Amino acid sequence: MSAASPAAPPQPTVPEAVHRRRWAILAALMFSLLIVVLDNSILNVAMKTIATPPPTGLGATQSQLEWAVNSYTLVFAGLLFTSGLLGDRYGRKRVLLAGLALFGVGSVLAGLSDSPGELIAFRALMGFGGAFVMPSTLAILMNVFERDEQPRAIGIWAGGVGLAIAIGPITGGVLLEHFWWGSVFMVNVPIVIAALIAMAVLVPESRDPAPGRPDPLGVLLSVVGLVLLVYGIIKGGQLADFTDPEVLLTAGGGIAVLAGFVLHEKRSDHPALDIGYFRNPAFSAAVTAVALVFFALMGVTFFMVFYTQSVRGYTPLQTGLLLLPLAVAQLVFAPRARLAVERFGARATCTGGMLVIAATMASFLLLDTDTPIWILEVLFFLQGAGMAHIMPPVTVTVMQSLPRRKAGSGSAVNNVFRQVGGALGVAVLGSLLSAAYRGRIDGELAGVPGLSEGARHAAGESIEATRTLAERMGPAGRALAERADEAFVQAMHITVVASAAVALAGAVVVALFMPGRRGAPGGPDGARGPEEGERHRGRGRKESKGEQGGKDEGEVREEAEGASVPGAGRERDALEAEVER
């Protein structure tokens, strides 16, 4: 202890004014999370309506529907890492407010679209705004909560996903029953306005006090690499052929650029991303688990809407209500996942969650054209419970593996793996579903009299396309509609087996590399990140030393980080001043 330390007034890691309002800040942050997740869950319910010809919908084709989803994903994933870096450098609150405002503008324009092309373009604009929201939300959370409360806060944050999943489809169903399809985007506007006000009033500004020199080449390589990779994945899904030259060139080019990004970051003395983080097995396992679980879940979510609406005949509102068990399970279990981690460890908790997801995926084989719907409800609930025991622990592992000052970059890495995994899930599993469906319906379509080769190919694209043809045929098309339902269910069974296999692979990764009970993040013997070793011994500011004597946790953290974080004390002073203002 230095001679000057006893004379210095003790300062906590989080300023006291921020610490007092931390739960109100978390509630404000939930608005941002709500808006991003809500939008995607609403769109899933609205896809069938948007595919309907005008004036009810836009007459979007299956390919255009996929691009309405994937244009958002492409831009979102491509800019995630960059947005995290900008938040760390220029201020997370500033970046978050700008992203929310842009998301709101994009929502209005999307709701007023006159064509599928306009909708795709404005969805991309929404993705641009959303990319600046998600990393900032989690980064701010990490900077307003002390380390021992972070697992609980992240659990509540993850539970907010369940809330959005519940609200989204139901809200979308109500809106589609009473208003035009564009209302599913317009509903974002009041939420954006409320979020902007709450953020401006409650959330303090935070940034990396010593961001170092910019790395423009690294940023450019990350954006180009991610955009090319995600585009190639999406294109492969649309063509149902991952050997197509366009797919190989774009996806392969993306991988090559990302490899160049890694080499550049390893050699740079001021890297945008410290590649050394990935040498931590827990960190690498956690982000891999995120990618694999979203690969499995996003692919299934995409086609489950068509099972409930096209095959089973439920309305959009009823489909939203059918998703309630999935949402309720996440809302209930995600905030409590830390208790399982404290008792059993992150490894056992996440492995168990992955196995539950794999089992529920495989259990979708029980679904047929007339299976009692309560079976689907039970599977949804179990699937939500499994996911609730994966996302909070892996998120805590990722975020606590990095210094607090790099929270934006850590959150961005977490979200990049989630988005790439989700895009792969929709593309790969969607392609598998499409190919399996066409293989089972082509024979029936070949027997339709007077159907040209082009019309037969178009009718075999999806169950909706086949059903449209069957409706035009009148009573004679009833048998074709029934066969389309059967072909879709058979194709779905093939797809869920592949999805279950991916979830099993995730379970193996987690079981091998995630920290065990003594390494459970947030547990009593939890593994400590780069700041925690010395700080853990300085946690007595609340427990023993009160407001006087001894070295406070913030001082210990600055010493532990050393010269790499000059001005950390000034950052806290600025944060205090910002809050008081």
Side-chain angles (χ1 to χ4, degrees), residues 81-133:
F81 182 65
T82 302
S83 69
L85 290 174
L86 291 176
D88 284 345
R89 175 173 292 275
Y90 298 111
R92 294 150 190 148
K93 177 180 178 179
R94 183 178 292 116
V95 166
L96 178 56
L97 291 175
L100 276 173
L102 193 58
F103 189 92
V105 171
S107 297
V108 172
L109 294 173
L112 298 176
S113 299
D114 291 325
S115 68
E118 287 187 6
L119 177 61
I120 291 168
F122 294 135
R123 284 283 296 165
L125 180 62
M126 293 172 68
F128 192 100
F132 287 83
V133 172

Side-chain angles (χ1 to χ4, degrees), residues 86 157 290 426 521 555 577:
L86 291 176
W157 180 85
V290 168
V426 172
E555 292 171 314

